Amino acid sequence: MYRIAIVRKGQPADRRTCTTPGELRDIVWEVVRAEGSTITDADHAPLMELTANARNMADNEGFAALEFGAAAITIRPDQP
């Protein structure tokens, strides 16, 4: 399970949890779209790789962050 925070300047953090890689991917897709970008078929593989790398970094180092436009996503493994 992961603890997610979506942060936009001047707004409170949108805190969430996810339990699967697919749920994390869905959150990333949602943020990308909310920032005004369209996700094309050609974008799927690179975004999936970016999300997987961030998840692995969170697993190995305890923290990962992604930025899309004015939004930042932080990813932390949930503590047992």
Side-chain angles (χ1 to χ4, degrees):
M1 183 181 289
Y2 298 93
R3 293 176 293 141
I4 309 298
I6 303 166
V7 181
R8 292 179 177 90
K9 187 175 182 177
Q11 297 180 11
D14 176 3
R15 299 189 186 282
R16 304 180 188 190
T17 59
C18 64
T19 57
T20 67
E23 288 175 344
L24 178 57
R25 182 203 62 223
D26 290 345
I27 291 169
V28 170
W29 262 237
E30 177 186 328
V31 170
V32 169
R33 288 184 179 117
E35 288 300 304
S37 294
T38 302
I39 299 173
T40 66
D41 288 342
D43 298 325
H44 282 253
L47 277 172
M48 288 176 69
E49 184 176 357
L50 181 69
T51 304
N53 288 341
R55 185 173 35 93
N56 289 335
M57 180 179 271
D59 287 339
N60 295 326
E61 298 181 27
F63 176 83
L66 300 170
E67 288 187 42
F68 300 101
I73 304 169
T74 63
I75 305 161
R76 297 178 191 273
D78 194 21
Q79 302 302 320

